Amino acid sequence: MKTNIATIALEAALSCGMDGARITQSEGLQRAWSLLSGKPDRLQYAAGASLSIQLYQDGRYGSFSTNRLEREDVEAFVRRAAESVRLLTPDPAYKMPDPALLYRGDCPDLGQSDPNFDAIPEVAKKQLLYTAAQELLSRPKSTLIASEVEFGESQESCYILDSCGFEGRSAQTYYTLSAECSIRGKDDEKPQGWWYEAAQFFDQLRPEGCGNQAWERAVRMLDPRPLPGGNYSVILENTVSSRLLSPVLAALSGASIYQQNSFLMDSLDKQLFSQHLTLLDEPLTYGAMGSRYFDSEGLATKPRQIIDQGVVRTWFLNTYTATKLGMQPTIEGISVPVLQPFGPETAAEMMQELDRGVLITSFNGGNSNGATGDFSFGIEGIYFENGQPQYPIREMNISGNLLSLWSRICAVGKDSRQAARWRIPSLAFEGVSLQ
Amino acid sequence: MKENKVMIEGASARRASSFSLSEAYSFFGVDPDELKQLTAIALEKGGDYADFYFEYSTSDDLMLRDGEVSSVGSHIDYGVGVRVLSGEMTGYAYAEKTDRESIASAARMAASIADQPGNHYIAQEVVLLEAASNRYPILQDWEAYPVLMQKEFLKALDETVRSRDERIIKVIARLSHSYAKIFFFNSEGVQHTDVRPMASLSLSCIMKSGTRVENFSASRSFRCGSEFLTDALCLELSDEVVRGCSRMMEAEQPAGGAMPVVMGAGGSGILLHEAMGHAFEADFNRKGTSIFADKMGQRICPSGITIVDDGTLLANRGSVNFDDEGVPGQRTVMVEDGILTSYLHDRISARSYGVAPTGNGRRESFRYMPLPRMRATYMESGTASEEDLIRDIKKGIYVDHFSNGQVQIGVGDFTFYVKTGYLIENGRLTRPIKDTNIIGNGPRALADMVAVADNLKIDNGTWTCGKEQYCAVSCGMPSVLIRQLNVGGIS
């Protein structure tokens, strides 16, 4: 990455009278190939570069971006940006981060970028695509309506330079292989199944089984039956379990807390969750998706306890929100969430343990109220009894309150998917309202 | 062709509401002869259609928090997307510079979707498409409403909200306006320009009483200039968030289960968007994966119901003079008197079905290929009154504020999240409810629409559809009674 344009932007900002500035230069390349029912369908290629510019002047703040990266364009853009910042009303919480909290290091390899990205032959990538497609095309034509498979790859790099002397670089590569199929169901219904694999290194991407998994996930949704509403034990499959964790993390963000728009207000050092629940952030884990040395402000990451045996230990605070709350900044958000396992280790073992309930395999819409923790999500899944799958269910909602839900967690598995952005394993809860 | 030099525009720069062809050539640094040469490159591998979508967009925003406007943003995006079709296959690439070599490089990438090299392109006579009418004229430029005045507007909004209820502890407002210059050229010789403005205002408040805290948000968005900011808008939006939040403070999650649901006029159009609109998008039907794939010409809901997807409403967020593949914006009747009459087509699906495209080929920006997308989706008014719909319900719910929705296209299950509504008990609206997800099945819900009121209302909130890429849309509906939907809630 040629980084002199970031320097030009920083110098332009300071020469315009800004007392602080941060320049983030990003470059990215994405390619994707897809097949529809075994035949080429789409080819996509994208390459781009942009500058993101944060300007500070005496409590005034602006955030700007442009992909016009010629020197004269950037300088003119920064001049106009600075003019608009000067028109604002000061808010002392807008300020550059404490230099003592910024990452100072040379970014040793965190296993985020495949050095062979440019050397992998196209034929090898297409081989993965056709392997996944063939698994679906070998299925009975009387049942299979359509199949779609896609291989995608991306390479992204980022360079941050600020007026405090912080300078940081990061780079990631990412490969995905996804498969989806539609099959004939009852009447006009066409249940769909999907699966994906993902990896940061090409040689870690496993194509075998991707199409088969998509097929099996469609077939297992055939002939759904109604399930009476009531309180059930539920298991969140490892493909979807992060869905109910993400609103908890959002409630721990400084932006929610300082606006008093969080159901985890006043939560620090309080036992609000089950004593079995321990959530860590492990941002320096080699090869884990999301590992990083610094956040977007340059604040250094480190391993942290977020929730320790049910006690909240960390709020996610950047410089702005920490100042608003009169606290020290921590980090803007979680990097690599790790839930400590307890109880049965897989969804299948959880079914045995719980005897009767619903394995949730997919969410369909829904949302949660950040201020109260009330939630309601559409679900699909498998009803199980005597520890065995019985029949698929759908057109149901899971509802309740997130604090109440997480206090009733009864298992955290050890079966997180390596392909997931957040490696959250299967989770089990007792006494959950399904309607 | 030389590298063009675009003068960067910001919030204070002049923004014309027209963009002539000669201005477009000059602005993007291209001319018809060079575009024909680039088209030949795009089709050199045997593609049978190519188009070029040039776009320059700016967006500016101001944020009010804690009673002050203390942050600002401004963003520029510039580039050209090149699409090549070979039958129903698509090759797509984009360039962030519009010099000849950058465009040619993108064209070669997109061209490789085809595999029959040779010179297949015969340059067509260039035809300029003119819009039938400008659906989004800018009546007042943002230059006439500079940042300092925008700040004052937001401050007045904040004061208005806070003056309505002493329980309000936080107000957050965000004003944004964007502007895009578009130039389109394709291998059929069709070219056009467009200027697309958008102005949006989002307002949230947080209320606290004792230990209870609730939030509520509302928004307005139109394709227009700074005439958007009026005293009436300030009062209307303030009133909506304060009333909505007050209702939330009294509301509880309902007891769930299957029950009759009255969809209030306006934002209930999310039901049409999720339960029907996506299923009518022709890419899903072309692939045979939509539950409505074999229903063309058949009755899918009771007579008297007409559902439209409309790109022609004046200043509407979903309106288009042209879609993003050079097809004039238009009004498409999807369901007429209960009969499925049209899917929503882009060029690919229209070619597959042997029909004319319906102007639904839309995209987030030059970075994305166009797909069949909705515009403003609504149901025509019926003849009942809203009171008629509620009167005979012993136990059900009335819903009128929503946040998001989703659909499973193959089986037709759709959901939408209800921020607030009311219980219906013995024919009357009684206690407020909140935070419940409603789930139903599209074909069954259509068949179960037992009454339609005479009060069609278009909801002008910041609706954004997320099918593969983001796209501004809107929706509307008269009040409608649906015999039964599944309401999420506590057991």
Side-chain angles (χ1 to χ4, degrees), chain B residues 56-130:
Chain B
Y56 168 71
S57 66
T58 67
S59 66
D60 301 277
D61 57 83
L62 276 180
M63 177 81 85
L64 176 140
R65 280 190 285 212
D66 299 328
E68 296 294 349
V69 179
S70 55
S71 70
V72 63
S74 184
H75 310 277
I76 288 176
D77 207 16
Y78 177 93
V80 55
V82 185
R83 178 174 65 156
V84 175
L85 301 184
S86 177
E88 295 183 5
M89 301 186 296
T90 303
Y92 196 80
Y94 68 77
E96 292 184 316
K97 294 181 178 178
T98 56
D99 61 287
R100 180 194 168 91
E101 193 41 50
S102 296
I103 303 175
S105 176
R108 287 188 195 97
M109 292 299 303
S112 60
I113 188 68
D115 59 357
Q116 294 178 310
N119 181 14
H120 304 270
Y121 174 58
I122 301 171
Q124 304 293 305
E125 185 178 344
V126 175
V127 178
L128 173 64
L129 283 187
E130 299 276 7

Side-chain angles (χ1 to χ4, degrees), chain A residues 41-43 45 49 63 65 67-68 87 94 188 190 261 324 364 367 369 374 376 394-395 397 433, chain B residues 65-66 72 75-76 78 90 92 96 151 215 295 404 410 413 415 434-435 437 444 468 486 489 491:
Chain A
D41 185 44
R42 288 183 185 179
L43 174 161
Y45 175 86
S63 177
S65 67
N67 71 340
R68 301 294 294 166
L87 300 175
Y94 280 122
D188 296 321
K190 303 168 180 70
N261 193 25
K324 283 285 187 186
N364 188 3
N367 209 332
N369 181 329
D374 294 337
S376 188
R394 51 170 239 242
E395 244 187 288
N397 290 298
S433 174
Chain B
R65 280 190 285 212
D66 299 328
V72 63
H75 310 277
I76 288 176
Y78 177 93
T90 303
Y92 196 80
E96 292 184 316
K151 270 181 68 179
N215 59 26
K295 299 291 185 190
N404 56 292
D413 290 353
T415 74
K434 71 183 189 83
D435 293 317
N437 200 49
R444 266 190 274 125
E468 295 187 38
N486 200 6
S491 298

